[in-house]
Coordinates of all heavy atoms in Angstrom, one line a residue:
D1 N 7.4 0.5 8.3 CA 6.1 1.1 8.1 C 5.0 -0.1 8.1 O 4.0 0.1 8.7 CB 6.0 1.9 6.8 CG 6.7 3.2 7.0 OD1 6.9 3.7 8.1 OD2 7.0 3.8 5.9
E2 N 5.3 -1.2 7.5 CA 4.4 -2.3 7.5 C 4.1 -2.8 8.9 O 3.0 -3.2 9.2 CB 4.9 -3.4 6.5 CG 4.8 -3.0 5.1 CD 5.4 -4.1 4.2 OE1 4.9 -5.3 4.3 OE2 6.3 -3.8 3.4
V3 N 5.2 -3.0 9.6 CA 5.1 -3.5 11.0 C 4.3 -2.5 11.9 O 3.4 -2.9 12.6 CB 6.5 -3.8 11.6 CG1 6.4 -4.1 13.1 CG2 7.2 -5.0 10.8
K4 N 4.6 -1.2 11.7 CA 3.9 -0.2 12.5 C 2.4 -0.3 12.2 O 1.6 -0.2 13.2 CB 4.5 1.2 12.2 CG 4.0 2.3 13.1 CD 4.6 3.6 12.7 CE 3.9 4.2 11.6 NZ 4.3 5.6 11.3
E5 N 2.1 -0.4 11.0 CA 0.7 -0.5 10.6 C 0.0 -1.7 11.1 O -1.1 -1.7 11.6 CB 0.6 -0.5 9.1 CG -0.7 0.0 8.4 CD -1.3 1.3 9.0 OE1 -0.6 2.3 9.2 OE2 -2.5 1.2 9.4
A6 N 0.7 -2.9 11.1 CA 0.2 -4.1 11.6 C -0.1 -4.0 13.1 O -1.1 -4.5 13.6 CB 1.1 -5.3 11.3
L7 N 0.8 -3.4 13.8 CA 0.7 -3.2 15.3 C -0.5 -2.3 15.6 O -1.3 -2.6 16.5 CB 1.9 -2.7 15.9 CG 3.1 -3.6 15.9 CD1 4.4 -2.9 16.4 CD2 2.8 -4.9 16.8
H8 N -0.7 -1.2 14.8 CA -1.8 -0.3 15.0 C -3.1 -1.0 14.8 O -4.1 -0.8 15.6 CB -1.6 0.9 14.0 CG -2.8 1.8 14.1 ND1 -2.9 2.7 15.2 CD2 -3.8 2.1 13.3 CE1 -4.0 3.4 15.0 NE2 -4.6 3.1 13.8
E9 N -3.2 -1.9 13.8 CA -4.4 -2.7 13.5 C -4.8 -3.6 14.6 O -6.0 -3.8 14.8 CB -4.2 -3.5 12.2 CG -4.3 -2.6 11.0 CD -4.0 -3.4 9.7 OE1 -4.1 -4.7 9.7 OE2 -3.7 -2.8 8.7
I10 N -3.9 -4.1 15.4 CA -4.3 -5.0 16.5 C -4.4 -4.2 17.9 O -4.6 -4.8 18.9 CB -3.3 -6.2 16.7 CG1 -1.9 -5.8 17.1 CG2 -3.4 -7.1 15.4 CD1 -1.0 -6.9 17.5
G11 N -4.2 -2.9 17.8 CA -4.4 -2.1 19.0 C -3.2 -1.8 19.9 O -3.3 -1.4 21.0
V12 N -2.0 -2.1 19.3 CA -0.8 -1.7 20.0 C -0.5 -0.2 19.8 O -0.3 0.2 18.6 CB 0.4 -2.6 19.6 CG1 1.7 -2.1 20.2 CG2 0.1 -4.1 19.9
S13 N -0.4 0.6 20.8 CA -0.3 2.0 20.6 C 1.1 2.6 20.8 O 1.5 3.5 20.2 CB -1.3 2.7 21.5 OG -1.1 2.4 22.8
G14 N 1.8 2.0 21.8 CA 3.1 2.6 22.1 C 4.2 1.7 21.5 O 4.2 0.5 21.5
I15 N 5.2 2.4 20.8 CA 6.3 1.6 20.2 C 7.6 2.5 20.3 O 7.5 3.7 20.1 CB 5.9 1.3 18.7 CG1 7.1 0.5 18.0 CG2 5.6 2.5 17.9 CD1 6.7 0.0 16.7
T16 N 8.7 1.8 20.6 CA 10.0 2.5 20.6 C 10.8 1.9 19.4 O 10.8 0.7 19.2 CB 10.7 2.3 21.9 OG1 9.9 2.8 22.9 CG2 12.1 2.9 21.9
V17 N 11.4 2.7 18.6 CA 12.2 2.3 17.5 C 13.6 2.8 17.6 O 13.8 4.0 17.9 CB 11.6 2.8 16.1 CG1 12.4 2.4 14.9 CG2 10.1 2.4 16.0
T18 N 14.6 1.9 17.4 CA 16.0 2.3 17.5 C 16.7 1.8 16.2 O 16.5 0.7 15.8 CB 16.6 1.6 18.7 OG1 15.9 1.9 19.9 CG2 18.1 2.1 18.9
E19 N 17.5 2.7 15.6 CA 18.3 2.2 14.5 C 19.4 1.3 15.1 O 20.0 1.7 16.1 CB 18.9 3.4 13.8 CG 17.9 4.1 13.0 CD 18.5 5.3 12.2 OE1 19.8 5.3 12.0 OE2 17.8 6.2 11.7
A20 N 19.7 0.2 14.4 CA 20.7 -0.7 14.9 C 21.5 -1.3 13.8 O 21.2 -1.1 12.6 CB 20.0 -1.9 15.7
K21 N 22.6 -1.9 14.1 CA 23.4 -2.6 13.1 C 23.7 -4.0 13.7 O 24.0 -4.1 14.9 CB 24.7 -1.9 12.8 CG 24.5 -0.6 12.1 CD 25.8 0.0 11.7 CE 25.5 1.3 10.9 NZ 26.5 1.6 9.9
G22 N 23.8 -5.0 12.9 CA 24.1 -6.3 13.4 C 24.1 -7.3 12.3 O 24.0 -7.0 11.1
F23 N 24.4 -8.6 12.7 CA 24.4 -9.7 11.8 C 24.1 -10.9 12.5 O 24.3 -11.1 13.7 CB 25.7 -9.8 11.0 CG 26.9 -10.2 11.8 CD1 27.2 -11.5 12.0 CD2 27.7 -9.2 12.3 CE1 28.3 -11.9 12.8 CE2 28.8 -9.6 13.1 CZ 29.1 -10.9 13.3
G24 N 23.5 -11.9 11.8 CA 23.2 -13.2 12.3 C 23.9 -14.2 11.5 O 25.1 -14.1 11.3
R25 N 23.2 -15.2 11.1 CA 23.9 -16.3 10.3 C 24.4 -15.8 9.0 O 25.3 -16.4 8.5 CB 22.8 -17.4 10.0 CG 22.5 -18.1 11.3 CD 21.5 -19.3 10.9 NE 21.2 -20.0 12.2 CZ 20.1 -20.7 12.3 NH1 19.3 -20.9 11.2 NH2 19.8 -21.3 13.4
Q26 N 23.9 -14.7 8.4 CA 24.3 -14.3 7.1 C 25.7 -13.7 7.1 O 26.4 -13.6 6.1 CB 23.3 -13.3 6.4 CG 23.4 -11.9 6.9 CD 22.5 -11.6 8.0 OE1 22.2 -12.4 8.9 NE2 22.1 -10.3 8.0
K27 N 26.2 -13.3 8.3 CA 27.6 -12.8 8.5 C 27.9 -11.6 7.5 O 29.1 -11.5 7.2 CB 28.6 -13.9 8.3 CG 28.4 -15.1 9.1 CD 29.1 -15.0 10.5 CE 29.1 -16.3 11.2 NZ 27.9 -16.9 11.5
G28 N 26.9 -10.9 7.1 CA 27.2 -9.7 6.2 C 27.5 -10.2 4.8 O 27.1 -11.2 4.4
H29 N 28.1 -9.2 4.0 CA 28.4 -9.5 2.6 C 29.5 -8.7 2.2 O 30.0 -7.8 2.9 CB 27.1 -9.3 1.8 CG 26.7 -7.8 1.8 ND1 25.9 -7.4 2.9 CD2 26.9 -6.8 1.0 CE1 25.6 -6.1 2.7 NE2 26.2 -5.7 1.5
T30 N 30.0 -8.9 1.0 CA 31.1 -8.1 0.4 C 30.5 -7.1 -0.6 O 29.6 -7.4 -1.3 CB 32.2 -9.0 -0.3 OG1 31.6 -9.7 -1.3 CG2 32.8 -9.9 0.7
E31 N 31.2 -6.0 -0.7 CA 30.8 -4.9 -1.6 C 32.0 -4.4 -2.3 O 33.1 -4.5 -1.8 CB 30.1 -3.8 -0.9 CG 28.7 -4.1 -0.5 CD 27.9 -2.9 0.0 OE1 28.4 -1.8 0.0 OE2 26.8 -3.1 0.5
L32 N 31.8 -3.9 -3.5 CA 32.9 -3.3 -4.3 C 32.7 -1.8 -4.2 O 31.7 -1.2 -4.5 CB 32.8 -3.7 -5.8 CG 34.0 -3.7 -6.6 CD1 35.1 -4.5 -6.0 CD2 33.7 -4.2 -8.0
Y33 N 33.8 -1.1 -3.8 CA 33.8 0.4 -3.7 C 35.1 0.9 -4.3 O 36.2 0.6 -3.8 CB 33.6 0.8 -2.2 CG 33.6 2.3 -2.1 CD1 32.5 3.1 -2.5 CD2 34.7 3.0 -1.5 CE1 32.5 4.4 -2.3 CE2 34.7 4.3 -1.4 CZ 33.6 5.1 -1.7 OH 33.6 6.4 -1.6
R34 N 34.9 1.7 -5.4 CA 36.1 2.3 -6.1 C 37.1 1.2 -6.4 O 38.3 1.4 -6.2 CB 36.7 3.4 -5.3 CG 35.7 4.6 -5.2 CD 36.4 5.8 -4.6 NE 35.5 6.9 -4.6 CZ 35.8 8.1 -4.1 NH1 37.0 8.3 -3.7 NH2 34.9 9.0 -4.1
G35 N 36.6 0.1 -6.9 CA 37.5 -1.0 -7.3 C 38.1 -1.9 -6.2 O 38.7 -2.9 -6.5

């Protein structure tokens, strides 16, 4: 939402948004689920 608002403020009208999954240097993380 913040990025969309910033683009609108500078006059960028068309935008395509796609949900994605990925990782860079952080290589993800570990989580605990049901022990």
Side-chain angles (χ1 to χ4, degrees):
D1 285 339
E2 290 176 58
V3 170
K4 186 176 86 171
E5 204 45 51
L7 290 174
H8 178 72
E9 286 176 17
I10 64 166
V12 174
S13 58
I15 180 173
T16 300
V17 178
T18 308
E19 289 183 17
K21 292 184 180 213
F23 66 88
R25 291 184 181 160
Q26 80 266 33
K27 305 271 193 302
H29 61 278
T30 59
E31 287 188 5
L32 202 59
Y33 179 72
R34 294 190 177 180

